[in-house]
Structures are given as structure tokens and as C-alpha cells.
Amino acid sequence: MKRPQATAITSGKGGVGKTNLSVNLALALHKAGERVGIFDADLALANAHLVLGCRPNRTIVDALSGQCTMAETVVESPLGVKMIAGGSGLAEVMGLSVEKRQEIIRNFSELSGTIDHLIVDTAAGVEANVIDFVAACDRVIVVVVGEPTAFVDAYASIKVLHQDTGRDRFDVIINRAANDAVGAQIFTRFRAITDRFLKVTLNHIGTVPEDERLAIV
Ligand SMILES: Nc1ncnc2c1ncn2[C@@H]1O[C@H](COP(=O)(O)OP(=O)(O)OP(=O)(O)O)[C@@H](O)[C@H]1O
Ligand SMILES: [Mg+2]
């Protein structure tokens, strides 16, 4: 069975906007007529369901423990995007074995009847949980913000993903930039670092501006 086209949204540093970008990309694809799902692959601190505004009563943990199939964990959010919720620090998920992670990835194909495009919102960093999920996706978007620590951590992530999975093309979104010109500048500076040390191609697919409406107050 053909599995949905899968896009991983990942980052080196935490808190750079992966979850918000995942949800908004999913909503944009949905508006364009695609059947979209978000898999919250942040298995320790899952929160994509909060951003999407749905309250899943089944998570990937239920599928992994055999209580339901992967397809049965899919919930429909109010805005029409489907979601597979992640975990919340449960011991069994934190120490997920390679086999279990591969099982999740293989089971993506179970979703093919209802989802054309799966957005995989990962945790930050380069732990095995993150690498394996990213490796299983067709396309990888790395989120970077214009801060030295974000540069260093994004560089480290791309390096590890390149070395461990052989991937040599990465899409990059610059988040929280003042405007497109600043975003382009940040990207150019970031690419100068990877160009110097890694044999990878980075593609700047967009800049997202700082948006004060994301704050609750
Ligand atoms: N473009 C933006 N403008 C303003 N605030 C933003 C923007 N993008 C993200 N944020 C804020 O940054 C914080 C982190 O966002 P988000 O949870 O999406 O990041 P994350 O990369 O998924 O974090 P984590 O690594 O913890 O999973 C949130 O408070 C969010 O509202
Ligand atoms: Mg997140």
C-alpha cells in the first residue's frame, strides 16, 4: 500500500516554532484541497493537539501497546486536519526501541486511504527518536531562527542527519524574522556555515515573520 507523502519539521534548538509551523502548513495544505494529517512525533512533550485545537482520546501509545491500530488513533480536528497525537513523558515511549519506531513508520501506510500528506512534527535535537522519524520522511524542513544558539544547534542537527541517514538536501524555514529581506540574510549566513563544513544543499523555502498574535495576552 502506498503511504502518504511525509514531511518532517525539525530543528536543532527547541522552541523555534516547529509545532506552530507544522499546524499552519497542515492547514494551508488542507485549504489547497489535500487530505492532511499531523503526526505529533514529540513523544515526550506532545502539544500539537493544543495548537490544532483538538482533544484526542487515543494517542500513538495506544497503537504501540496494541490497543488499537494506527488508523484508529487518527482524530479529526475542528479545522479538517487529521491528527495522530504523541505522548506525554510516558516511560515506555521515552525509551522507545528502534523496532517500535520502525513499526510506527511502517504503519504510516495504514493511513494512505484517508491522508495524502503527513506532516511529522518532531521533538528538537538529534536523539534517536528524532533521527529515525526524520529519516523515514520524504522531505525534511529544518526550522531556524536568527540566533547564534539556533545556528549552532541547527548545524549540529543537519550534520547528524546527513551522517546518519545520508540525506543531503534540506529545506529551511527562517522563523520569527522581521521581514523577508532579513529572513534571506539569516538564511545566507546560516548556509555559509553548512557550505564550509558539510556536503549538503539547503533550500530556503520561506520566512515567517514574528507574529504577536501567537501570545495569549
Ligand atoms: N512566528 C512567530 N511569532 C511569534 N511567536 C512565535 C512564532 N513562532 C513560534 N512562536 C512562539 O514560540 C514558542 C515556541 O513555538 P513552538 O511550540 O511552535 O516551537 P517548537 O519548536 O515546536 O518547540 P519544542 O521544541 O518545544 O517542540 C511558542 O510560544 C510560540 O507561540
Ligand atoms: Mg513542538
Side-chain angles (χ1 to χ4, degrees):
M1 204 193 296
K2 187 178 158 290
R3 67 181 178 81
Q5 174 81 12
T7 300
I9 305 217
T10 193
S11 72
K13 186 174 150 70
V16 294
K18 295 177 296 297
T19 300
N20 276 276
L21 292 174
S22 296
V23 168
N24 283 294
L25 177 60
L27 291 172
L29 286 167
H30 173 69
K31 274 193 185 157
E34 293 215 37
R35 297 177 306 167
V36 192
I38 297 184
F39 169 41
D40 190 343
D42 194 334
L43 297 176
L45 292 169
N47 58 8
H49 60 287
L50 297 175
V51 180
L52 195 57
C54 64
R55 209 192 274 189
N57 49 16
R58 279 179 168 152
T59 73
I60 193 71
V61 181
D62 299 309
L64 286 171
S65 56
Q67 289 172 33
C68 63
T69 63
M70 182 116 162
E72 283 168 347
T73 64
V74 178
V75 291
E76 186 98 25
S77 73
L79 296 170
V81 168
K82 296 183 169 62
M83 139 136 273
I84 299 165
S88 52
L90 295 170
E92 66 266 39
V93 180
M94 299 282 287
L96 210 62
S97 66
V98 180
E99 292 75 27
K100 278 289 181 195
R101 283 197 296 275
Q102 284 170 352
E103 188 184 318
I104 296 181
I105 292 159
R106 271 199 308 276
N107 289 349
F108 279 175
S109 60
E110 271 187 40
L111 308 172
S112 64
T114 52
I115 292 176
D116 306 313
H117 204 125
L118 189 67
I119 307 287
V120 179
D121 175 22
T122 77
V126 287
E127 301 211 339
N129 272 334
V130 177
I131 302 284
D132 286 352
F133 287 131
V134 172
C137 290
D138 306 288
R139 181 178 178 196
V140 179
I141 300 176
V142 181
V143 182
V144 181
V145 297
E147 293 168 14
T149 49
F151 271 33
V152 171
D153 294 356
Y155 171 80
S157 270
I158 290 172
K159 181 177 172 186
V160 172
L161 286 167
H162 174 59
Q163 285 174 350
D164 287 14
T165 70
R167 187 181 296 272
D168 57 7
R169 298 188 72 84
F170 297 86
D171 290 332
V172 174
I173 293 179
I174 305 295
N175 192 21
R176 308 190 78 157
N179 55 47
D180 280 349
V182 172
Q185 242 170 36
I186 294 171
F187 175 74
T188 304
R189 286 174 59 189
F190 180 63
R191 190 177 49 192
I193 304 170
T194 55
D195 276 355
R196 215 165 135 202
F197 300 109
L198 303 175
K199 285 199 166 40
V200 297
T201 304
L202 302 189
N203 178 27
H204 182 202
I205 59 168
T207 297
V208 177
E210 177 71 26
D211 187 344
E212 61 190 25
R213 287 169 299 182
L214 277 177
I216 288 175
V217 285

